[in-house]
Amino acid sequence: MINRRSRTPFQTGPLRRLGLCSALSLVMPAVAFAQGGAPAVPQEDGGLGEIVVTAQKREQKLQDVGLSVSAFDGAALDNAGVNAVTDLAKVVPGLDITPSPSGTPVYTLRGVGFFESTLSAAPDVALYIDQLPLAVPAFGALTAFDLERVEVLKGPQGTLFGTNATGGAINLIAAKPTNDLDAGIELGFGSFNTIRGEAHISGPLSDTLKGRIAVKVSQGDEWQYSYTRRDKLGKTDELAGRILLDWQPREGMGFVLNLNGWLNKSDPQAPQLARQTTPADLQAPVGSVTFGQVVPPDFALLLIPGAPDNNRAANWDPDYRPYRDDRFYQTALTANIDLSDTITLTSLTAYSNLRQRKASSYSGTDLPAFEQAANPARANDFSQELRLAGNDVGSGLRWMVGGNYQRTASYERIDAIYPFASTGFRDGFTANTLDTRQVFKQWAVFGNMEYDLSERLKLKAGIRYTDSSRTAASRVYDTPGYVEPIPGALGLTDFFNVLMPAVYVPLFCPGVTYTPVVPGQSVSVDPNNCVSGTYKAKLKEDNVPWSVGIDFKPNDDLLIYANMSRGFKGGAFPLVNAASQEQFYPVPQEKLTAYELGFKSNLLGNRVVWNGAAFYYDYANKQTRGKTVDPLFGALEKLVSIPKSRIWGAEMDMTLVPTRGLTVRLAGTYLNTRIKTFSGIVGAQNVGGLLFPVFSSFKGARLPFAPELAGSASLDYLFPLTGTVEAFLGGGVRAQTKSYGSPQLGGQDKKDATIKGYATLDLRAGVQSADERWKLTVWGRNVTNRHYWTNSLRAFDTIVRYTGRPSEYGVTLGYKF
C-alpha cells in the first residue's frame, strides 16, 4: 500500500545531538597513513616505517607483497574524511564509487565495474570485513568504523578470497581486542549541525579472553534544498556498533567472534535535473496517445528548469518524499588452529541479514514523473570457508588449500509511480509494482602456493574451481491500493488485457488465444508463447579463475613483480519494468584476463617509498545496464553484455619525508578503456505503428566510470610547539578528468552521460599532545565548494546527475584514556 503522506525528517536539535554523541563518540586514530604500499609513520631516523597487511591471507610487509595493493590506516581515513566505504574513492585513484537510483553503491576499479542497482547483484569489486564476504554491496553501508586499516586489492580476485570478482577486493580490517586496557573517544561537530561520535573500550576479560566494544553515531540536518519551493532533504541519522571477543584457550588456538550491526535512517540523496527536458527526451512523443491523454506541447515536465550549478540544489516530489529505515546485523566466527609447527587450519563462518525500507526520488523534479514511492527489500547471506595453510621455512614453500560455500537469498520490491511520465500520460496507467526473489548458491575449492626459487626469486600460482547457481522469480503487476488519477484511465492490468490480444498476440503469436491477466498477477509477456505471468529461471555457471606470477628482489630495497591472472564474475538477473519477460533474461558471467608488471621500492634510507605498475586487461562479456526496444512501449531497460573490451593503464604512488615532520604523498592512475565489439541500441524506428530497434557499433567507445587520469596529493607537517604539545597542518587534493556514466557514441547522448572532470581540496590543522593522548583538529572538505557530480544518467524522460558534497567545515576532539 502506498503511503502518500509527506514524510518529515526526524528533528533533533544540536544540543540534543551533542548529548547523545558525547556518550558514544569517535575513535582516536593511533596510526598514520599508507597508500599503495607506502608506509606512513615517520621513524626516529626520519625514514618511513613498515605497514603489515594480509592481502595474501597471511601477515606480510606491504612492500614485500607482489600485488597492487593500497592500504590505509585509521588516521589516514580520518584525515581524508572517509566516514563510509563509499568515501574510499577520495584516497584510491582508479576507484570510482557512485550512487545508483535505488541507493545501492556501484564500485568500479581500474575501469572494471557493474552498474546495476538490483539489491542482489554481485559487484565487480568484492567487499569483505576481516576476510569475510559482504555479499551484497548494501551490507557495507556503515561497516567502516573502528578500523585498524583498509586494504584495496586491484585486479581479478578468486584464488585467495571467497568471492569471485573481476575488478578487485576491498578488505576492511576491524581493530582487534588489546592485551591491555585501552579506551578512546572522539567527538566532531561540523556543517549542517552534524555531530559524529565514536567510542571504544578494549582489553582483557580473563587470562584467555579479550574483548572490544566500539560504537559510532552520526546526526545532522538536511544538506540538500529544493530550488523550486521551501523544502530540505538529506538528514543524517546513523548508528553502528561492533563487539569483538578474542579467545585463545591455549597456544596455537584462537577464536574471534564478531557481532556487528547498524541502523541507517538517513535520507537518500535526491538527484539533480541536469538540464531542462526537451520534447526529444520524452519516451512518448508530443501528440501521441493510446488509452490515456494526448501528450501536449506544454507537457508539465518540459517546463521545469534544470538545477543550478550548486551541489546542494535538487528536487523531489513532496508527496513521495525520499526516506530510509535500514538495519543490518552480522555474526561471524573466525577460528585458527595450529595442527603442527607448519600447518594451520582456518575456519571462517558468517551470517548477515539486511532489511531495507526506503523510497527514492528518480526524475530529479518535484513532479511524480518516475518515483520509487516504496522500495522494501531484504537479504540474508551465509558463508563458510575452511582452509589449510602451510609454511615450511626449510623448503621455501608456502601453500594454502581450501573450499567455501555461500548462499544468498534476497527479495526486493519497487512501487513505481509516474503520472507525469510521458508514457503514463499517454497509455493510461501511471503506476506499477515490480519485484524479484533471488537465491544465489556457490561452492568452490581453491589452492595457492609460493615457492622461493632462490633468496631473491619467488614463484606464485593459484587456481580455483567455482560452481554456482542463481534462481529468480520476477514480476510486474498493479500497485496495491493505487488509484489512477487520469479520468478514464485503464490501469496496468486492463491496459495489457486490451492491448495484448488486439495487437501483440496477432503479430507475434498468431493463432494463440491470450489469457487475460487477473489483477495482482504479473503482466509481463513471455515472448515465446505470448502468455503473461511470473518469470522464473535458473542460471547455472562454473568457472576456473587462476593466477601465476614471479617476484624478484635484486636488493633489499627493490621488488619487481610480474603477474598474469584470470577472474570471473557470475551472471545476474535484473529487476526492471518488463513489458516482455525478455527484459528479465540474465546476462552470463564476465571474464577478465589481466597482465601486470610492477615495482615497489624504498629509497634514500627509506625516506622515499615509490611504487608503480602497468597493466593490460582483456575483458569479455562485461555486464551493464542497457536498452531494448519493445514494439509497443519503445525503449526499456535490460541487462546487456559487451562481448569484448580492453583496458590498459599505469599507476604510481610515492610517499616521501624530505625533512623531519614533513610527509608528502602523491598517487595517480592512467586508464585507457575501449569497447572492441558491441552492437548496441541507439534509437527506435516506427514501422507500421510498431517500434523496432536501431543498432550501431560501439567499437571505440569508452567504458563507464573510467576517467583517463585520476590522482591525489597530500601534505602533512608536524612540528613542536612546546615540550609536550605539537601542532600540525595538512591538506589533500583529489582530481580526475572527465568520464561517462554509460557507453555512448556521441551527440546529445554522450553529452548527457558526461561526468565532468573536477578537483576537490581538503584542509586540516590542529594541536595534539606529544604522546598522542589527545588531539584537536579543525578541518574543511571541498573548501572551494566545487560543483561536481559522480554519475549522470537517463531517468526515463529526464537526465539527472548525482552531485558530490558541498563545502563542509568542522572541529574534532579526541582523547585516549
Side-chain angles (χ1 to χ4, degrees):
M1 184 74 70
I2 297 297
N3 182 359
R4 297 179 61 95
R5 179 173 55 88
S6 177
R7 295 172 176 83
T8 302
F10 176 66
Q11 300 294 320
T12 56
L15 293 178
R16 181 176 175 180
R17 295 191 192 115
L18 182 61
L20 174 63
C21 293
S22 63
L24 299 175
S25 312
L26 284 178
V27 171
M28 175 73 176
V31 202
F33 166 100
Q35 179 167 337
V41 185
Q43 303 297 292
E44 292 298 323
D45 61 1
L48 288 160
E50 293 285 358
I51 187 169
V52 175
V53 298
T54 54
Q56 299 188 107
K57 289 193 173 177
R58 61 188 179 89
E59 291 189 350
Q60 293 175 276
K61 294 179 181 179
L62 189 51
Q63 289 300 93
D64 291 338
V65 177
L67 297 170
S68 183
V69 182
S70 294
F72 310 85
D73 59 34
L77 303 174
D78 189 52
N79 286 341
V82 176
N83 296 307
V85 178
T86 52
D87 293 328
L88 282 174
K90 294 181 179 182
V91 291
V92 184
L95 175 63
D96 186 283
I97 304 176
T98 187
S100 66
S102 70
T104 299
V106 177
Y107 301 89
T108 303
L109 187 55
R110 288 180 171 177
V112 181
F114 180 32
F115 186 76
E116 165 60 8
S117 58
T118 303
L119 176 70
S120 60
D124 279 358
V125 181
L127 187 63
Y128 300 84
I129 180 165
D130 289 339
Q131 303 181 26
L132 295 157
L134 296 169
V136 174
F139 284 179
L142 302 180
T143 310
F145 70 98
D146 193 37
L147 298 179
E148 179 181 316
R149 66 182 182 277
V150 174
E151 301 172 6
V152 180
L153 287 72
K154 302 174 183 179
Q157 305 297 318
T159 62
L160 281 169
F161 281 86
T163 300
N164 284 339
T166 43
I170 300 172
N171 191 18
L172 310 175
I173 312 297
K176 299 302 185 292
T178 52
N179 292 323
D180 300 314
L181 182 62
D182 175 71
I185 63 170
E186 193 168 283
L187 287 172
F189 180 81
S191 300
F192 311 112
N193 293 322
T194 301
I195 293 179
R196 289 188 172 93
E198 192 169 329
H200 79 263
I201 184 168
S202 174
L205 300 175
S206 71
D207 292 341
T208 60
L209 182 64
K210 297 179 291 186
R212 185 182 186 97
I213 299 176
V215 181
K216 179 180 179 179
V217 65
S218 298
Q219 293 272 330
D221 291 339
E222 299 86 350
W223 68 275
Q224 290 189 296
Y225 70 86
S226 167
Y227 63 93
T228 63
R229 65 186 190 280
R230 291 179 62 85
D231 199 1
K232 291 183 178 181
L233 184 75
K235 69 167 183 175
T236 300
D237 187 354
E238 302 168 347
L239 175 65
R242 181 183 297 122
I243 299 174
L244 285 173
L245 296 174
D246 184 345
W247 181 45
Q248 296 184 347
R250 62 174 176 81
E251 186 177 355
M253 178 181 291
F255 301 87
V256 177
L257 178 65
N258 183 336
L259 307 175
N260 68 88
W262 49 259
L263 302 173
N264 186 2
K265 296 186 178 182
S266 300
D267 290 337
Q269 181 178 353
Q272 283 190 340
L273 183 64
R275 59 170 175 80
Q276 190 160 353
T277 305
T278 69
D281 295 321
L282 299 181
Q283 301 298 295
V286 170
S288 61
V289 62
T290 52
F291 301 114
Q293 298 183 5
V294 176
V295 180
D298 61 346
F299 189 52
L301 208 58
L302 302 173
L303 307 179
I304 300 174
D309 291 340
N310 185 316
N311 287 339
R312 297 185 60 195
N315 232 328
W316 56 94
D317 180 4
D319 290 330
Y320 298 105
R321 184 182 181 86
Y323 69 94
R324 183 193 306 273
D325 184 3
D326 299 346
R327 65 112 175 97
F328 169 81
Y329 66 86
Q330 182 188 61
T331 302
L333 178 65
T334 300
N336 289 288
I337 302 172
D338 291 340
L339 302 181
S340 70
D341 292 340
T342 60
I343 299 177
T344 300
L345 171 66
T346 298
S347 171
L348 302 169
T349 309
Y351 175 78
S352 304
N353 187 287
L354 172 71
R355 186 219 64 196
Q356 292 185 331
R357 294 175 182 168
K358 65 181 191 297
S360 303
S361 177
Y362 194 75
S363 69
T365 74
D366 55 3
L367 296 174
F370 201 100
E371 307 304 311
Q372 294 185 355
N375 182 198
R378 57 182 181 268
N380 63 76
D381 174 79
F382 172 79
S383 65
Q384 173 64 59
E385 178 174 315
L386 288 172
R387 66 176 187 255
L388 290 171
N391 184 2
D392 189 343
V393 178
S395 67
L397 176 65
R398 292 165 297 279
W399 55 269
M400 182 175 63
V401 295
N404 56 43
Y405 171 80
Q406 184 174 353
R407 183 186 186 276
T408 307
S410 66
Y411 170 77
E412 183 174 13
R413 189 189 90 217
I414 295 175
D415 292 339
I417 308 296
Y418 41 90
F420 281 89
S422 59
T423 55
F425 200 76
R426 175 196 68 184
D427 297 335
F429 66 89
T430 62
N432 69 271
T433 293
L434 51 156
D435 67 17
T436 185
R437 297 178 186 272
Q438 299 191 23
V439 176
F440 171 75
K441 298 178 182 179
Q442 79 162 15
W443 63 268
V445 291
F446 56 88
N448 202 77
M449 59 82 67
E450 297 179 2
Y451 181 65
D452 296 331
L453 297 173
S454 70
E455 185 180 355
R456 299 290 185 184
L457 194 63
K458 179 170 64 179
L459 178 66
K460 306 172 294 184
I463 193 167
R464 171 191 176 108
Y465 174 77
T466 301
D467 183 278
S468 67
S469 68
R470 184 181 292 271
T471 59
S474 303
R475 305 182 297 165
V476 175
Y477 53 98
D478 282 311
T479 299
Y482 183 81
V483 178
E484 290 289 348
I486 300 176
L490 292 176
L492 177 72
T493 298
D494 288 343
F495 179 89
F496 269 75
N497 284 340
V498 171
L499 194 66
M500 290 296 111
V503 179
Y504 192 92
V505 173
L507 288 171
F508 299 102
C509 302
V512 172
T513 299
Y514 181 74
T515 302
V517 179
V518 176
Q521 292 183 348
S522 179
V523 300
S524 300
V525 177
D526 185 338
N528 298 307
N529 55 25
C530 292
V531 174
S532 292
T534 300
Y535 171 78
K536 296 181 179 180
K538 184 174 185 177
L539 178 65
K540 285 186 63 64
E541 296 174 317
D542 62 358
N543 54 66
V544 182
W546 52 263
S547 65
V548 293
I550 191 166
D551 294 352
F552 175 54
K553 294 198 72 170
N555 57 59
D556 292 341
D557 295 324
L558 176 63
L559 169 66
I560 300 172
Y561 63 89
N563 297 323
M564 179 178 176
S565 59
R566 174 168 292 172
F568 294 83
K569 190 195 83 67
F573 291 94
L575 176 60
V576 292
N577 249 328
S580 168
Q581 292 183 8
E582 182 183 4
Q583 292 174 252
F584 287 135
Y585 289 176
V587 287
Q589 63 187 354
E590 61 182 31
K591 177 179 71 175
L592 188 143
T593 305
Y595 308 84
E596 181 168 336
L597 179 66
F599 71 90
K600 296 184 175 183
S601 64
N602 302 302
L603 308 173
L604 302 178
N606 215 31
R607 287 180 176 271
V608 177
V609 174
W610 182 24
N611 302 333
F615 50 88
Y616 179 86
Y617 289 171
D618 186 1
Y619 202 177
N621 294 327
K622 174 181 171 56
Q623 304 166 355
T624 188
R625 280 252 177 168
K627 295 179 182 178
T628 186
V629 173
D630 183 89
L632 302 179
F633 297 97
L636 297 173
E637 287 188 322
K638 67 175 295 185
L639 288 181
V640 298
S641 287
I642 298 174
K644 292 184 180 181
S645 53
R646 60 98 178 131
I647 302 169
W648 63 267
E651 60 189 22
M652 180 276 294
D653 66 76
M654 178 182 291
T655 303
L656 59 154
V657 182
T659 186
R660 185 177 298 276
L662 178 63
T663 304
V664 180
R665 306 173 185 94
L666 305 169
T669 298
Y670 171 77
L671 290 175
N672 187 296
T673 68
R674 292 294 183 270
I675 292 174
K676 298 171 67 176
T677 305
F678 177 52
S679 182
I681 294 174
V682 294
Q685 59 180 346
N686 191 312
V687 179
L690 297 177
L691 297 171
F692 294 91
V694 177
F695 291 91
S696 183
S697 171
F698 276 68
K699 183 177 181 179
R702 289 167 57 176
L703 296 178
F705 307 114
E708 283 193 341
L709 292 172
S712 63
S714 67
L715 182 149
D716 288 283
Y717 183 48
L718 179 69
F719 55 96
L721 288 180
T722 68
T724 59
V725 178
E726 299 173 328
F728 57 90
L729 302 170
V733 176
R734 196 264 184 185
Q736 69 173 53
T737 56
K738 70 178 179 182
S739 61
Y740 300 94
S742 58
Q744 299 292 342
L745 292 177
Q748 188 63 46
D749 286 343
K750 188 171 184 179
K751 185 176 180 180
D752 289 337
T754 299
I755 301 168
K756 289 186 177 180
Y758 62 89
T760 57
L761 172 65
D762 295 350
L763 297 174
R764 52 191 172 270
V767 293
Q768 66 181 32
S769 63
D771 60 1
E772 298 183 351
R773 189 164 187 176
W774 60 265
K775 182 178 182 180
L776 177 67
T777 305
V778 178
W779 50 264
R781 294 169 189 145
N782 189 15
V783 296
T784 62
N785 202 26
R786 179 62 186 266
H787 176 238
Y788 70 101
W789 54 94
T790 58
N791 196 2
S792 184
L793 70 158
R794 173 172 289 279
F796 205 66
D797 283 328
T798 60
I799 306 299
V800 300
R801 59 196 180 200
Y802 289 84
T803 67
R805 299 278 295 196
S807 60
E808 296 178 89
Y809 301 90
V811 60
T812 302
L813 174 64
Y815 187 80
K816 294 197 300 183
F817 296 96

